[in-house]
Structure formats: structure tokens, C-alpha cells
Amino acid sequence: MNEIQAQIVPADLNADGILELIAVDAVGSVAAWTATGDTLWEVQTSGLSAQTVSIASLRGDGTVQVIVATVAGAVHVLEGRTGNEVSPFPLRTGGKIMSSVTVVQLQANALVQAPDRLSGGGAGDTAPHLVFSSFDGYLYVVHALTGCVHKIDHGEHSYTQVLADDLTGNGRMDLLLSTMNGNLFTFETSTPYSPLRSWRAQAQGRNVFSPRETFMGIAVQTAGGRHTPLDIAGVDFPLTFAISDSRPRAGGAHGARYAVLVRLGGAVVHNHTYTAPGVYSITVPCPSDKWVGVLVVAMTNEHGQYFDDRITVSLNEGFREVIKWVALVPYVLAAMVVVASTAESRSALPL
């Protein structure tokens, strides 16, 4: 291969439970190697991938596809097992693409700005969509199966990956785009929020290049599925989290392992390795003093791939108000007794 500028991506391309390595060079060659260094496949695309590739199971049948965006303004979708181009791709835009592609599950008519223009499925359709920005000034939302395109004109250039999360707290997914003009654009969708549906940082914050909803992940379970801040009082509190794993062969011959670490700030309050996906409940001790911060539930699988979920919590934040009322109540009761006794005797208060 030629000069490699994009990050190397580890992924299980053939469902054998072992990770392969995928790389893209400066002239558009994309190659995958097995764990033993053998070439799995090598194909030619349209040019340099400035960031890196994305990995996703776009058809939901257990197969994996590699999504490559290039400076030639094209998006290629390659079969993970063979490297063959997947129809109807490649998709060409009117400008170069400098970022990775974000893969997110969006409902049909998901973009509030122009719901009648979002193609690619009927009501209830939750097929993946490829989201990215091109130097032609458009944000692209592309249906992964049909290739139908919805474009949003923002008129600026962007080098960064589009992120997805519930930014406004309304229970729906939002798309966040940053541009070279120093602007941040938020595009609201009607797709319900899910912790695993969000894409909060490039490489999911560390070393995962796939949408977690159709791959694997860990999520804090809260009332209504919303990640609203928790206000907790007491010496401990229950925490429920769900480990999901949609891989065709979870862990392959090596066996699946999910090392879970729960942190309150810098303090580790739970450290345990689980061997199966599912919903688990634990009891988390509260600090001796009041505390406000982020509770992090992190998981590392048997390959070292890292996943986490976060929620803001306040612990015993209101105890000072409780103490205030506890101290004030006796005085209030005493005053009420004096007033009542004075009213009965109908005498003046003593000087």
C-alpha cells in the first residue's frame, strides 16, 4: 500500500470471532488483513480517506460492511468478507468528504425540517442511514439499503464526523455538525433517543468504529429510557444496566467476556466481569459527603474494545436543606405552643 493517513480499524469482518485490520491509503486502496498478517482482500476506491472507515451491519443479516468516504467526494460500501462493492454504491457528491461516515438508525420522515423529502422506507422503517458532510455545502442523510439521499444545505465546509445524541433533552435524536466557519449546527429528528443509538465522539470515544445499536454496548437503565440527571439521597442506591451483544458469534471460539467498571468521578464502585449479555442490577454506595458529577458505566469486551454510558447524578445534595428544616422545626413548634397557650389565657405576652 501507499502512504496511510487514516486510522487503522479493527473489526471482525467474517464472523469468526477474531478481529481483522482494515486500512486505507492515500491513493484509495482499501485492504483487510487477518490476525496472522495474511491479506483477506485489497480493492481500489476513488481516493484518500482523510479520517478512517466505518463498520456496520447495514442489512441486519449478520454480515458486516465497510464504509469508506474519500476526498473524491464518493462514499463506497464494501462487503466485509470479500471487499466487493455493495449496490447501489458508490454514491458521489459535489465536493470532497474529509470526515468519517456516521451510521445511525433513523426512522422514515426523521428530519423535522423537511420530512416529506426523506426517502428510503415507509412508516416504522428503521434501516441504518449514512450521515456525513461534503464540501459542496450539504449534510447528507443516505438510506443504507436504497441509496436514497436527503440533503440539507448548510453552505459550509466540515472536516469532522457528524455526531448523534439527544442534545435538547426532548427524547429524540439530534445530529451535530461543526464547520470550518466556527459554527455548530443541530438538526433535530423524530427518531426516539436510545443510549446505544447515540454516537458521541469519533471512534465512539476510543476504539469502536461501529454503531453500538447493531453491534454491542452497555447502557444505564433509567425510567422511561431517558438520561435525565438523577437526584439521589441515602447511603446507597440501585443501578441497573444492560449489556447488549448482536454479534453473530459473540466472542467466537475465545468466549465472550464483558469487563464492567462503574465509576463515580475517579472512584471505582463496581468492577466485575460478566460472561453473558443481559440486564444486571447492583447497589452503589454513596460517598460520605455530598457529590455532584458523572456516573460512568464502562465495558471492555474480550478484544479490548471499549464501550461506556454516562449519566449525571447528584448524591445527598439536599441534605443541608433537610438539616435546616430539622433545626427549625423545634422553634416553630415552640412558637406555636406559646401562641396557643396565650390565646387560651387571653393574657399579654410576658415582657
Side-chain angles (χ1 to χ4, degrees):
M1 300 187 74
N2 285 272
E3 174 186 352
I4 297 175
Q5 297 185 18
Q7 186 171 351
I8 306 298
V9 172
D12 184 3
L13 299 179
N14 50 16
D16 63 353
I18 302 174
L19 298 185
E20 285 74 44
L21 295 179
I22 306 101
V24 186
D25 69 12
V27 297
S29 293
V30 185
W33 296 274
T34 66
T36 57
D38 299 322
T39 300
L40 186 63
W41 48 260
E42 182 173 356
V43 298
Q44 186 68 34
T45 61
S46 56
L48 167 70
S49 178
Q51 298 293 331
T52 192
V53 304
S54 300
I55 309 296
S57 179
L58 301 179
R59 294 190 294 265
D61 59 359
T63 62
V64 172
Q65 287 74 47
V66 179
I67 303 108
V68 186
T70 72
V71 295
V75 173
H76 300 264
V77 177
L78 312 176
E79 286 289 358
R81 292 179 181 271
T82 63
N84 295 334
E85 190 90 47
V86 176
S87 178
F89 295 91
L91 168 75
R92 299 193 179 275
T93 70
K96 60 183 178 181
I97 305 171
M98 300 297 293
S99 64
S100 303
V101 174
T102 299
V103 184
V104 60
Q105 303 276 104
L106 294 177
Q107 292 179 341
N109 301 335
L111 290 172
V112 172
Q113 288 87 342
D116 57 314
R117 294 180 55 198
L118 181 60
S119 304
D125 175 33
T126 55
H129 287 77
L130 313 182
V131 184
F132 58 92
S133 181
S134 173
F135 269 41
D136 59 8
Y138 289 98
L139 175 72
Y140 284 77
V141 181
V142 182
H143 195 276
L145 301 183
T146 66
C148 292
V149 178
H150 175 79
K151 298 194 297 184
I152 302 174
D153 186 1
H154 58 83
E156 300 183 22
H157 294 165
S158 176
Y159 280 85
T160 57
Q161 185 174 11
V162 177
L163 303 181
D165 204 350
D166 178 11
L167 301 176
T168 58
N170 63 357
R172 296 192 294 266
M173 296 297 299
D174 302 306
L175 304 177
L176 178 65
L177 172 69
S178 61
T179 71
M180 292 296 293
N181 285 15
N183 294 320
L184 291 175
F185 293 94
T186 299
F187 303 97
E188 183 178 297
T189 80
S190 60
T191 301
Y193 167 79
S194 165
L196 296 183
R197 188 170 292 157
S198 63
W199 197 311
R200 299 168 182 156
Q202 187 171 4
Q204 300 284 13
R206 187 173 294 185
N207 59 1
V208 176
F209 302 85
S210 303
R212 295 173 296 169
E213 186 173 21
T214 54
F215 177 40
M216 65 185 307
I218 190 167
V220 178
Q221 304 292 286
T222 56
R226 296 291 311 285
H227 272 28
T228 53
L230 298 179
D231 187 8
I232 299 168
V235 296
D236 55 40
F237 65 95
L239 175 68
T240 302
F241 56 87
I243 298 173
S244 63
D245 191 345
S246 301
R247 295 176 292 177
R249 291 181 60 192
H254 302 287
R257 296 187 302 276
Y258 314 95
V260 175
L261 198 69
V262 179
R263 300 195 308 271
L264 280 174
V268 176
V269 296
H270 180 73
N271 187 358
H272 184 75
T273 298
Y274 299 85
T275 57
V279 178
Y280 298 93
S281 295
I282 62 174
T283 299
V284 178
C286 293
S288 56
D289 298 324
K290 69 172 187 174
W291 185 86
V292 178
V294 177
L295 181 146
V296 179
V297 181
M299 180 184 77
T300 305
N301 68 9
E302 68 279 2
H303 297 305
Q305 292 173 301
Y306 175 87
F307 310 81
D308 69 23
D309 194 16
R310 300 161 184 261
I311 188 168
T312 302
V313 297
S314 60
L315 303 176
N316 298 316
E317 178 68 12
F319 84 98
R320 294 183 187 275
E321 287 72 14
V322 174
I323 292 177
K324 176 183 69 176
W325 286 107
V326 168
L328 183 61
V329 164
Y331 293 100
V332 173
L333 292 177
M336 293 174 62
V337 170
V338 171
V339 171
S341 61
T342 302
E344 290 179 359
S345 62
R346 298 188 179 186
S347 59
L349 291 174
L351 297 176

